[in-house]
Amino acid sequence: MTFALALEQLLNGLQLGVMLFLMAAGLTLIFGVMGLINLAHGSLYMVGAFACAAVAAATGSFWLGLVASLACAAAAGAIIELLVIRRLYDREHLDQVLATFALILIFSEGTRWVFGSFPLYLDIPPLLQGAVALPGGAQYPVYRLAIIAAGALVALGLYVLIGKTRLGMRIRAGESDREMIGALGVDIRTLYTVVFALGAALAGLAGAMVGALQSVQVGMGEPVLILAFVVIVIGGIGSIKGALLGALLVGVVDTMGRLLLPQLLTLFFPPSQAGMIGAAAASMLIYVMMALILAVKPRGLFPAAHA
Amino acid sequence: MLSRESLINILLAVLLLAVPLAANAYGEPFYVTLATRVAILALAATGLNLALGLGGLVSFGHAAFFGIGGYAAGILATHGFSGDPLFFGLSGTNQMPVIWLVAMVAAGLVGLLIGAISLRTSGVYFIMITLAFAQMVYYFAISWPAYGGEDGLSILVRNQFPGVNTMRPVNFFLICYVALMAALGLFVLIRSSRFGTALQAARQNEVRVATVGIAPYRIRLTAFALSAAMTGLAGALFADLNRFVSPSMLSWHMSGELIVLIILGGTGRLFGPLAGAALFVIFEYVLGGLTERWQFFLGLILLGTVLFARGGLLGLLAGKARHG
């Protein structure tokens, strides 16, 4: 294994981590403020990807598609919040799981209805095509670097939004005491819709950006959703900082595990078996990591103080 | 005098037996298979109901146990058919009783392991962790090529039960029906036992249970492992019904469906899983015949049930559950 390959995979891991952060940030924000577990978050990711692919195909501009993905995912989020989600805040988690599971069925089949069963494809915008040379000689696609940069910008933006603005102050207040900020005259229902739409927009953005790397198809959000759950469980549910560090940890460990485990196992097994066992072990690695972390810290690495 | 719920339960049990027997008499084996599907899904959901209904443990990972039971049946049958030894020189088998035992022990042990870690947490953490562990088993099944990997594993000939021709659909249905009734009987025994009372008490008020000297963790872990074993048995039967096992039995959609069965029927009720499974299979058959997009309408129905009809089918028919 060369240094160049390791560096390339490390960057891939970071890119996966950044994308998971966009999903996990919305999930953890929604849980922190409203106490809601939202399985349909993966559907909003899918909505973003489809909106981007459809608008990019119609107008020829990836950037318009990106705007559309943010707008459509936020709108879809606001609509389901108004129609369904707000009836679930006072319910037990079981009801929330089921209702949002039902939303997944509706979104998946509805999307299949509108766009058909065939995957859509999304081209990388010309500005971000091509590759740059990494130290060590390997070529690395600019687009993936751009995703990492975009994720870092969003993380910074969220930090400013939540830490420094009036909306962020209300979100934090909502996390610590819902009744009290309602009593102080903050329109809590609108605040919830805004938070939900914000989380949805982040998921839609992630879907659109990843859509250019993979095909855009029904069900694309579900594997990502489950990884995002692993992320927020590791990071501590309700904590944005935990989501960021958890996402990077999961992204890097998963990617590097797939690279390193098969090679590590050649020390103990013949190469043909080592590849097979290594691949199977690597696919389970992040779950083992999650189990180990929870065995030591049952509430995750950065438990939110109140939850 | 029987309560209204008991009458409805008896009616459901009789209907599930009578419909396939009549279908068999009129030479309609398709409906027998449909009823077998209902019985097996109800058995799987009854297993989950032990943890979810009695213990309040919302496991979103029971597909893992369902699939492990299925793979136990598939792997034993494959080795039994080919004659290749399994491991440690053990041979495969095509005898259902042995397969069931292995399926229950395997699912129960994995349940013990997953439960031991997951039960350290609670609430939303528990939901997500059980989901994540089930995904771990799912990805393992996909990436491990020895037993079909992503393509799944076929069981060439349905496994045998001593003295019964299991290839006849109605015979296999009766086996599944008896298994379901036995599981429901066990559920009743557990519910009214000291153990079951402690389990329900731990759901209602954990602190009080701990105060009177019962450790909720151990009670819950036992219930979780039992629940896993029962769902594992259903998985083994499901594999024999389809004569096919694939990672889709382990997928998180399956976990979701098992919870859906309980909710459609009525949470925490003895016959909730059976009512839910019957409703689900009927939806699947009727809506699936009308439109390719039946899952869209299933989603709408489910949403309506959760938002507006929380007692499920039995809640509508038999009124509120007497104790929550």
Side-chain angles (χ1 to χ4, degrees), chain A residues 70-81:
Chain A
L70 282 169
C72 284
I79 290 169
I80 61 172
E81 203 276 341

Side-chain angles (χ1 to χ4, degrees), chain A residues 91 95 98 237 284 295 299, chain B residues 120 125 263 306-307 310:
Chain A
R91 297 289 193 87
D95 286 357
L98 278 162
I237 304 176
M284 296 164 60
R299 307 184 64 82
Chain B
R120 289 171 50 85
Y125 278 86
I263 304 304
V306 177
L307 291 181
R310 298 178 69 192

Side-chain angles (χ1 to χ4, degrees), chain A residues 51-66 68:
Chain A
C52 186
V55 169
T59 63
S61 162
F62 175 84
W63 305 107
L64 279 179
L66 210 56

